[in-house]
């Protein structure tokens, strides 16, 4: 048999894990849950309200477990071969890169320019790349930082490619290294020292600009403007006019027009402006979008994505390529539960074995035609793309209409689909398509582009793409393609969780929900179940809170919601508790995570469920009822934290901490009341099971308990404790009244 040639070898492979033992354990847990529900139902008439509430909550938990088991059933092991791609061809399609930032305070420009520098220096022909930075903060400091970074890039990019530097974000490359490697050449050591000095100067310029705005004639457009009231600002910072493959990519700054009475649609609106502006400037067939803090950690990231796009036998299998979001400098113990490693390891690989991963809002490569609303196997001819149809659907711009037609036409060559003209020649048209009124009367945000209607625009957009029949690809190169900074401390992490819960619930109530996509679209049933697993986070909070209150209710009212210790049926909930937790622990061990990380995640996910997710569903509900509008809360980005107490949970005066504090105080009060009743020799109905549940809740809220005796940001504010105490006291009296 003749050996395979480079042209016949696959560019990627997807293998399925043989997770038979995990499946058996998951099904056994499901069997136990059904047994518990059957026991509850058969004995319901012999018990009171607490038994009914337990039945309802456990029915919900069983439903969620069914969704989880279905999602994790077929876990994939994807592999890409960029070297085979390089051996196969020297002609690559163009890629437009989108970097989004919205607030120069919460998202410091130094983080943004490091992300941009890492992207400008990836291993890909520079004449096939264009980087667009969207600044929704209209910050002169951000623009100035990009201008200065472009000067540094002329030194940094050649340095990285000359010495094949693996880590191309300067702040990460130079962190912890005071001098170059001693075993390197003299030339490298000199270049290394020069690069570090240049980067220090760049950092100083940006820091100085943050305290005192720079004054240059090029910045005149930023004078006398407001963050939410200004015209479109577009600046071409770098331009590869000669089309040199080993030069620097285009770099374009964009701050879209904003007016007070015009809805700007948060990040989705910014992404649609980027899509249109890039469409008239470069019109690459593929687009990569990253958040400002997610730098390219693997210089071959574009080649890895192209292995899917160019290696797929059928383009339906690859509507977009999603790289999982990993984070740098995360503590091994994961005290805030925001590293999400185990979630990616099992849930992420599982959903990728169905119809493909969810679009996660960053680190994702898109087909431009898919973003323009194209469906699989849709054959569009020139006769169908009449000017009237395109202008009504996509907007009144002749050049944009031409670029869209070129993208959508059947048989269009993706290698040749690239506007070779310089971006600066399209500035005037770019201002037009970037204006806030351009979308009026079009399908932008409704049937094409990034969709409006939720702060989780990524999930909504990806869901709509998969509902049209597209599949997505999961790419896991080594080292990871992108690394970002996870929110540190309690408030930032909770705000992020609240925003996710709000947005996900909004998607569930949207006309493009996964249920609608399955019934009337091409979304697979198990993919729908995977979407429901995360979109029900908000609703889960109600059942989590109810179940956390049940043991306290039983001790206060001298009742029980679990079988007595001398009843054989106590084995069922005991086995559920023990096997579920041991199985969860085994997942962390198999993922090379420490036991303490599992314990921290057990705590923080319950805290999120009973605090952040609860506020998330309240926010989404008030919006649905018309009482308020959803606000997009930006998570603060920090490069590092030198605090010796890093990893310690912090608090502020946000009401988001009140429910958790109230639940803790309620259970502590119930335990105190129960002990008093026991000492008095009263007839006790509650048993060991209820006491263990209360101790588990105290374990979950251990950080809250410690905060009662701490000061500053490590202590819960007195006002929050008083509010939580009043709520807990009210519940105690209500339960006593019921008794």
């Amino acid at each position: 048999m003749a050996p395979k040639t480079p042209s016949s070898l696959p560019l990627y492979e997807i293998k399925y894990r043989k997770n038979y033992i995990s499946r058996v354990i998951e099904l056994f847990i499901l069997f136990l849950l059904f047994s518990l529900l059957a026991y509850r139902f058969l004995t319901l008439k012999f018990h009171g309200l607490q038994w009914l509430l337990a039945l309802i909550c456990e029915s919900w938990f069983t439903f969620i477990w069914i969704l989880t088991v279905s999602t994790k059933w077929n876990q994939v092991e994807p592999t890409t071969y960029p070297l085979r791609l390089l051996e196969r061809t020297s002609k690559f399609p163009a890629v437009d890169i989108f970097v989004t930032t919205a607030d120069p305070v919460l998202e410091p420009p130094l983080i943004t320019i490091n992300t941009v520098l890492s992207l400008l220096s990836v291993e890909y022909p520079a004449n096939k790349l264009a980087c667009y930075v969207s600044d929704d903060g209209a910050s002169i400091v951000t623009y100035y930082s990009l201008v200065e970074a472009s000067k540094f890039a002329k030194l940094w990019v050649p340095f990285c490619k000359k010495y094949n530097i693996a880590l191309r974000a300067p702040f990460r490359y130079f962190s912890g290294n005071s001098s170059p490697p001693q075993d390197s050449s003299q030339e490298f050591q000199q270049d290394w020292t020069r690069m570090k000095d240049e980067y220090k100067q760049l950092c100083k310029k940006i820091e100085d600009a943050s305290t005192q705005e720079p004054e240059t004639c090029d910045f005149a457009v930023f004078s006398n403007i407001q963050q939410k009231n200004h015209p479109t600002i577009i600046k071409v910072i770098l331009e590869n006019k000669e089309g040199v493959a080993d030069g620097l990519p285009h770099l374009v700054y964009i701050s879209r027009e904003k007016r007070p009475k015009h809805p700007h649609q948060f990040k989705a609106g910014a992404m649609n402006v980027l899509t249109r502006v890039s469409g008239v400037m470069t019109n690459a067939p593929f687009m990569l979008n990253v958040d400002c803090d997610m730098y390219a950690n693997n210089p071959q990231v574009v080649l890895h994505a192209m292995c899917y796009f160019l290696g797929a036998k059928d383009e339906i299998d690859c509507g977009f390529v999603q790289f999982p979001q990993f984070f740098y400098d995360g503590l091994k113990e994961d005290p805030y539960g925001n590293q999400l490693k185990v979630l990616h390891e099992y849930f992420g690989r599982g959903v990728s074995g169905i119809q493909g991963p969810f679009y996660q809002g960053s680190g994702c490569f898109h087909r431009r035609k898919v973003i323009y609303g194209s469906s699989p196997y849709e054959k569009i001819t020139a006769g169908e793309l009449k000017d009237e149809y395109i202008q009504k659907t996509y907007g009144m711009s002749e050049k944009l209409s031409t670029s869209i037609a070129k993208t959508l036409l059947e048989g269009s060559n993706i290698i040749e689909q690239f506007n070779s003209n310089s971006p600066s020649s399209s500035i005037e048209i770019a201002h037009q398509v970037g204006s806030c009124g351009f979308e009026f009367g079009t399908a932008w945000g409704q049937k094409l582009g990034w969709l409006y209607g939720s702060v989780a625009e990524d999930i909504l957009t990806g869901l709509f793409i998969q509902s049209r029949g597209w599949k997505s690809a999961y790419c896991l190169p080594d080292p990871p393609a992108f690394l970002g900074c996870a929110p540190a401390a309690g408030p930032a992490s909770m705000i992020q969780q609240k925003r996710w819960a709000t947005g996900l619930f909004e998607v569930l109530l949207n006309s493009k929900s996964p249920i609608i996509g399955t019934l009337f679209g091409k979304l697979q049933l198990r993919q729908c179940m995977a979407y429901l697993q995360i979109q029900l986070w908000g609703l889960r909070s109600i059942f989590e809170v109810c179940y956390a209150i049940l043991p306290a209710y039983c001790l206060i009212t001298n009742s029980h919601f679990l079988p007595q210790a001398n009843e054989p049926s106590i084995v069922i909930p005991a086995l559920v508790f023990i096997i579920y937790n041991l199985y969860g622990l085994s997942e962390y061990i198999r993922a090379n995570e420490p036991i303490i990380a599992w314990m921290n995640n057990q705590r923080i996910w319950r805290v999120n469920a009973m605090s952040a997710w609860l506020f998330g569903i309240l926010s989404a509900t008030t919006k649905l009822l018309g009482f308020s509008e959803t606000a997009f809360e930006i998570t603060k980005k920090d490069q590092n934290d030198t605090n010796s107490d890093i990893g310690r949970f912090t608090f502020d005066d946000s009401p988001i901490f009140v429910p958790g504090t109230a639940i803790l105080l309620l259970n502590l009060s119930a335990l105190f009341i129960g002990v008093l009743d026991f000492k008095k020799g009263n007839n006790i109905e509650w048993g060991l099971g209820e006491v263990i549940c209360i101790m588990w809740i105290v374990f979950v809220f251990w950080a809250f308990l410690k905060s009662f005796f701490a000061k500053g940001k490590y202590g819960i504010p007195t006002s929050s404790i008083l509010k939580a105490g009043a709520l807990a006291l009210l519940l105690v009296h209500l339960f006593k009244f019921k008794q």
Side-chain angles (χ1 to χ4, degrees):
M1 183 176 179
K4 290 186 177 181
T5 62
S7 60
S8 62
L9 291 171
L11 297 181
Y12 70 91
E13 290 180 328
I14 298 177
K15 297 179 181 179
Y16 288 87
R17 285 179 170 176
K18 297 179 180 179
N19 53 326
Y20 305 126
I21 296 177
S22 297
R23 292 177 181 176
V24 171
I25 296 174
E26 289 168 356
L27 290 177
F28 183 62
I29 293 173
L30 184 60
F31 167 75
L32 290 174
L33 287 170
F34 276 124
S35 300
L36 180 59
L37 294 181
Y39 168 74
R40 292 277 189 205
F41 183 76
L42 293 174
T43 58
L44 184 60
K45 61 183 178 181
F46 304 113
H47 299 278
L49 175 64
Q50 73 278 9
W51 211 260
L52 176 61
L53 290 176
L55 174 62
I56 294 172
C57 292
E58 288 160 359
S59 298
W60 177 263
F61 299 148
T62 303
F63 172 62
I64 295 297
W65 185 246
I66 291 172
L67 299 181
T68 303
V69 172
S70 170
T71 303
K72 294 165 60 177
W73 196 258
N74 299 107
Q75 298 171 25
V76 299
E77 294 275 6
T79 307
T80 46
Y81 303 101
L83 292 180
R84 294 179 184 177
L85 177 63
L86 293 172
E87 292 173 356
R88 181 178 298 187
T89 182
S90 60
K91 296 181 179 180
F92 298 98
V95 179
D96 287 336
I97 303 171
F98 302 155
V99 180
T100 52
T101 182
D103 190 308
V105 176
L106 297 177
E107 299 173 330
L110 195 58
I111 290 181
T112 303
I113 63 112
N114 270 278
T115 297
V116 170
L117 288 168
S118 70
L119 292 166
L120 294 178
S121 56
V122 295
E123 292 295 332
Y124 205 74
N127 59 337
K128 292 300 181 74
L129 293 174
C131 183
Y132 297 84
V133 180
S134 170
D135 176 21
D136 260 11
S139 168
I140 187 174
V141 178
T142 300
Y143 174 63
Y144 170 78
S145 301
L146 287 169
V147 171
E148 293 301 317
S150 69
K151 300 173 185 176
F152 176 72
K154 295 175 183 178
L155 303 173
W156 175 250
V157 174
F159 170 77
C160 290
K161 295 188 175 181
K162 178 180 179 181
Y163 296 107
N164 195 26
I165 303 299
L167 189 53
R168 301 188 179 182
F171 85 105
R172 296 291 295 165
Y173 179 70
F174 292 118
S175 63
N177 295 320
S178 57
S179 60
Q182 295 301 315
D183 58 350
S184 56
S185 67
Q186 186 68 27
E187 182 184 11
F188 174 78
Q189 292 186 32
Q190 291 175 352
D191 288 346
W192 188 97
T193 303
R194 181 191 176 199
M195 284 300 106
K196 186 165 186 179
D197 291 340
E198 292 286 346
Y199 181 65
K200 284 182 178 178
Q201 293 179 27
L202 173 63
C203 293
K204 188 176 185 307
K205 289 179 181 179
I206 294 174
E207 289 170 3
D208 292 343
S210 299
T211 57
Q212 183 177 357
E213 290 188 356
E215 295 181 2
T216 309
C217 59
D218 190 39
F219 303 142
V221 68
F222 291 94
S223 61
N224 300 321
I225 67 169
Q226 299 175 356
Q227 184 176 354
K228 296 183 179 181
N229 187 15
H230 63 84
T232 303
I233 303 172
I234 299 177
K235 298 281 189 180
V236 178
I237 299 174
L238 280 178
E239 206 166 11
N240 190 342
K241 293 183 178 180
E242 295 78 20
V244 181
D246 58 354
L248 291 177
H250 303 312
L251 177 60
V252 183
Y253 171 90
I254 301 171
S255 185
R256 59 191 171 124
E257 180 184 14
K258 285 188 177 180
R259 299 302 175 192
K261 295 183 179 180
H262 188 281
H264 57 83
Q265 307 296 350
F266 309 116
K267 183 180 175 181
M271 292 301 300
N272 285 334
V273 169
L274 285 169
T275 303
R276 294 195 297 270
V277 170
S278 65
V280 299
M281 282 190 166
T282 48
N283 197 36
F286 300 104
M287 304 179 293
L288 161 66
N289 89 275
V290 295
D291 289 340
C292 65
D293 65 308
M294 298 291 292
Y295 71 85
N297 183 61
N298 188 325
Q300 291 190 323
V301 57
V302 183
L303 295 175
H304 281 285
M306 289 304 146
C307 286
Y308 280 104
F309 287 124
L310 303 181
K313 294 181 180 179
D314 194 327
E315 69 175 16
I316 189 177
D317 295 327
C318 193
F320 60 85
V321 177
Q322 178 66 60
F323 293 82
Q325 294 185 22
F326 295 116
F327 306 97
Y328 60 84
D329 286 348
L331 297 178
K332 191 67 177 175
E333 297 81 8
D334 195 12
Y336 305 119
N338 54 16
Q339 298 298 309
L340 308 179
K341 292 180 181 178
V342 173
L343 187 70
H344 287 305
E345 183 65 22
Y346 302 104
F347 188 89
R349 291 177 184 271
V351 71
S352 302
I354 309 174
Q355 200 173 338
F358 307 146
Y359 169 38
Q360 298 172 17
S362 182
C364 187
F365 286 80
H366 299 270
R367 291 185 188 271
R368 186 179 286 269
K369 62 184 288 186
V370 174
I371 293 297
Y372 282 165
S374 176
S375 297
Y377 308 124
E378 185 178 19
K379 298 180 179 180
I380 300 176
T381 61
E384 296 176 276
L385 294 175
K386 296 179 180 179
D387 290 343
E388 183 180 350
Y389 165 78
I390 290 185
Q391 291 177 1
K392 183 179 180 180
T393 306
Y394 298 94
M396 300 290 290
S397 169
E398 184 177 346
K399 185 165 184 178
L400 180 62
S401 299
T402 302
S403 72
I404 290 172
K406 189 175 182 180
T407 301
L408 294 178
L409 275 177
E410 180 192 2
S412 59
N413 190 326
I414 59 172
I415 303 297
E416 298 176 358
Q417 185 191 324
F418 186 66
N419 186 357
S420 58
N421 296 330
S422 62
S424 56
S425 65
S426 305
I427 284 284
E428 185 177 345
I429 302 170
H431 276 84
Q432 177 192 349
V433 300
S435 65
C436 60
F438 184 82
E439 294 183 353
F440 285 156
T442 69
W444 287 101
Q446 308 302 321
K447 297 181 180 179
L448 58 94
W450 274 257
L451 301 191
Y452 305 149
S454 170
V455 292
E457 79 296 321
D458 46 2
I459 292 293
L460 179 58
T461 301
L463 170 60
F464 185 56
I465 291 171
Q466 292 182 329
S467 294
R468 300 203 306 268
W470 292 101
K471 295 181 180 179
S472 55
Y474 198 52
C475 196
L476 280 165
D478 185 21
F482 300 97
L483 291 179
C485 53
S493 182
M494 299 280 266
I495 287 173
Q496 184 184 66
Q497 289 286 333
K498 175 197 169 188
R499 187 180 74 237
W500 287 351
T502 301
L504 290 169
F505 193 65
E506 288 174 339
V507 175
L508 182 64
L509 301 178
N510 195 283
S511 60
K512 299 177 179 65
S513 74
I515 297 174
I516 300 298
T518 300
L519 293 176
F520 304 102
K522 298 179 180 178
L523 190 71
Q524 296 178 19
L525 176 60
R526 286 182 56 218
Q527 189 76 3
C528 171
M529 294 172 69
Y531 273 109
L532 289 176
Q533 206 277 349
I534 64 167
Q535 289 175 0
L536 291 171
W537 279 2
L539 278 179
R540 281 171 66 177
S541 64
I542 298 173
F543 299 94
E544 294 264 5
V545 169
C546 181
Y547 211 67
I549 290 175
L550 268 178
Y553 173 85
C554 290
L555 264 70
I556 293 171
T557 61
N558 193 24
S559 58
H560 65 98
F561 79 103
L562 291 172
Q564 298 286 4
N566 59 353
E567 296 180 26
S569 52
I570 189 63
V571 174
I572 300 176
L575 283 177
V576 170
F577 180 80
I578 294 170
I579 295 176
Y580 173 80
N581 282 290
L582 287 178
Y583 177 63
L585 176 60
S586 73
E587 288 190 323
Y588 276 76
I589 294 174
R590 283 183 283 137
N592 297 317
E593 294 297 304
I595 294 177
I596 188 67
W598 169 77
M599 293 175 62
N600 287 332
N601 277 258
Q602 283 293 306
R603 287 201 293 249
I604 199 64
W605 281 93
R606 299 282 73 77
V607 169
N608 286 333
M610 289 182 262
S611 301
W613 296 358
L614 182 63
F615 273 81
I617 193 172
L618 289 175
S619 176
T621 303
T622 54
K623 176 191 173 183
L624 178 67
L625 297 175
F627 296 144
S628 67
E629 287 294 325
T630 304
F632 190 91
E633 297 170 286
I634 302 169
T635 307
K636 185 177 182 184
K637 313 294 193 306
D638 289 307
Q639 279 187 318
N640 51 56
D641 192 338
T642 56
N643 194 322
S644 59
D645 287 322
I646 184 172
R648 190 175 171 186
F649 209 84
T650 60
F651 301 86
D652 61 13
D653 58 358
S654 169
I656 207 169
F657 295 106
V658 172
T661 308
I663 290 171
L664 175 62
L665 291 174
L666 175 64
N667 278 273
L668 290 174
S669 302
L671 188 62
F672 179 73
I673 293 172
V675 170
L676 287 181
D677 288 342
F678 182 77
K679 284 188 173 183
K680 290 177 182 178
N682 296 340
N683 183 30
I684 300 300
E685 289 291 331
W686 49 265
L688 181 62
E690 285 74 20
V691 174
I692 291 175
C693 287
I694 286 183
M695 299 309 296
W696 183 258
I697 291 168
V698 172
F699 163 75
V700 166
F701 288 99
W702 185 250
F704 284 61
L705 182 60
K706 290 196 300 182
S707 72
F708 293 163
F709 311 100
K711 296 181 180 180
K713 65 180 181 179
Y714 301 113
I716 297 181
T718 305
S719 59
S720 297
I721 295 177
L722 291 175
K723 293 174 186 175
L727 181 57
L729 186 62
L730 175 63
L731 289 174
V732 169
H733 280 284
L734 286 175
F735 296 165
K736 280 287 187 181
F737 178 76
K738 160 66 173 61
Q739 184 183 17

